[in-house]
Amino acid sequence: MHLIMILNSLAVAWWLRSAGNQPQGNWNLRWQRSLFLFLFPPLLIFMTAIAVLFMGPQGQMGGMYTGSVSYVVALIYMAFFAISCIKLAFQGWQSVESARNCPLVNVGDRRARLLQTSALFAGQIGFWQPELVVSQGLVQTLSPAHLESVLAHEQGHHYYRDTFWFFWLGWVRSCTAWLPNTEPLWEELLALRELRADGYAALQVDPLVLAESLLLVVSSSPVLSEICCAALGSSGAGDRLEQRIEALLAPPKPIQEPQLQSWHGFLLALLPLVAVIFHS
């Protein structure tokens, strides 16, 4: 019976992820849809594995005896989740330590870590309290107005705690790479993250100046890994860059925070835990 639960959760997860992923609607609708399709399937599998582990390898459920095979499968999957989390956390810690080895400087009215490289880079690096990191090339190349627009964008990432939340989303991505549409949904979430930070910055600086800065920074090669890093040039290739430029040149539109009711759908992922009641 436990094995049937696992197979059902896998089938539902695969079906949901196989749904079309064409960006539709405004930022808020795209964010809710992409986040649900990205996060709900692995959450359902995760909760099913927890329910199976909680019920144990022996007993009855619905008049059917349970075996140890499903218990071992759930145990292996949870171990895989844990190992992936530890690996990403270690890589993130390495990025943070690397940034902390850079000298602190004043950039405008902000304190930042200075990377000794000619590449154009600016990003928030860390977890809940990230640090601003800029490259020497960025400070020397950009005009004060362009530099201020870049810093405003990075302040948006700090305001929304993007490094923290996308660390966990990146963990989900690494654990569910075998599910369909993982990469397209991940790229969509990255693009929406950057659109949100662009919108935050556009309320403080000239959007045209920010668009010019974006083009300059994206033309430079990436400096650091995306783990625990939110940078201006993230998800800047191809049509994603075009989306961001068009959004900056269009009349500004307020970006609404996700409402509480938008999270109600995730409660359905807890349904496997109800099966514990019928286990004996």
Side-chain angles (χ1 to χ4, degrees):
M1 190 63 182
H2 291 175
L3 192 58
I4 294 176
M5 284 179 58
I6 294 175
L7 292 176
N8 283 337
S9 67
L10 290 173
V12 172
W14 192 276
W15 173 71
L16 283 173
R17 278 292 190 85
S18 298
N21 185 41
Q22 294 299 321
Q24 297 176 352
N26 58 27
W27 181 94
N28 195 42
L29 292 175
R30 286 173 61 187
W31 176 264
Q32 290 182 28
R33 183 176 185 274
S34 298
L35 188 62
F36 181 82
L37 291 177
F38 184 82
L39 196 55
F40 182 85
L43 186 60
L44 179 64
I45 298 171
F46 185 77
M47 289 301 168
T48 302
I50 288 180
V52 171
L53 290 178
F54 188 85
M55 289 184 285
Q58 297 179 342
Q60 291 186 27
M61 183 177 172
M64 300 174 63
Y65 284 96
T66 59
S68 59
V69 175
S70 55
Y71 183 83
V72 173
V73 170
L75 193 61
I76 292 174
Y77 194 73
M78 293 296 289
F80 173 67
F81 258 62
I83 293 172
S84 296
C85 184
I86 293 171
K87 178 183 176 182
L88 283 179
F90 179 71
Q91 292 174 345
W93 175 79
Q94 287 181 315
S95 297
V96 172
E97 287 300 304
S98 176
R100 287 176 178 171
N101 289 331
C102 299
L104 269 172
V105 296
N106 289 319
V107 181
D109 58 350
R110 298 174 176 86
R111 297 282 284 174
R113 299 283 180 178
L114 185 66
L115 280 176
Q116 302 297 326
T117 176
S118 59
L120 304 185
F121 175 83
Q124 295 284 344
I125 298 178
F127 291 91
W128 184 255
Q129 288 288 352
E131 287 192 274
L132 176 63
V133 178
V134 298
S135 67
Q136 190 172 27
L138 185 87
V139 175
Q140 294 175 345
T141 303
L142 297 190
S143 67
H146 286 95
L147 185 58
E148 179 59 29
S149 69
V150 171
L151 298 181
H153 173 93
E154 294 308 322
Q155 182 60 36
H157 284 309
H158 186 278
Y159 176 79
Y160 291 111
R161 309 289 181 181
D162 284 336
T163 53
F164 177 79
W165 297 117
F166 272 79
F167 168 78
W168 295 108
L169 290 176
W171 172 47
V172 172
R173 172 202 181 196
S174 67
C175 294
T176 58
W178 50 274
L179 282 174
N181 283 325
T182 296
E183 284 307 308
L185 285 168
W186 172 252
E187 290 297 327
E188 173 73 354
L189 288 173
L190 282 180
L192 292 171
R193 179 189 76 175
E194 296 307 312
L195 284 170
R196 182 171 63 180
D198 288 342
Y200 179 93
L203 297 176
Q204 306 175 50
V205 299
D206 186 347
L208 181 58
V209 174
L210 178 58
E212 293 172 350
S213 303
L214 175 60
L215 289 172
L216 288 171
V217 174
V218 167
S219 64
S220 179
S221 57
V223 175
L224 294 173
S225 166
E226 284 185 346
I227 301 173
C228 298
C229 176
L232 177 68
S234 296
S235 188
D239 60 338
R240 303 300 187 189
L241 175 60
E242 186 177 342
Q243 277 188 64
R244 295 176 63 183
I245 298 297
E246 288 178 353
L248 286 170
L249 298 181
K253 298 178 181 178
I255 292 179
Q256 299 178 353
E257 290 295 314
Q259 301 298 316
L260 181 62
Q261 50 266 37
S262 66
W263 297 97
H264 287 172
F266 288 97
L267 295 177
L268 294 174
L270 303 178
L271 283 178
L273 299 178
V274 178
V276 176
I277 302 173
F278 303 100
H279 186 270
S280 59

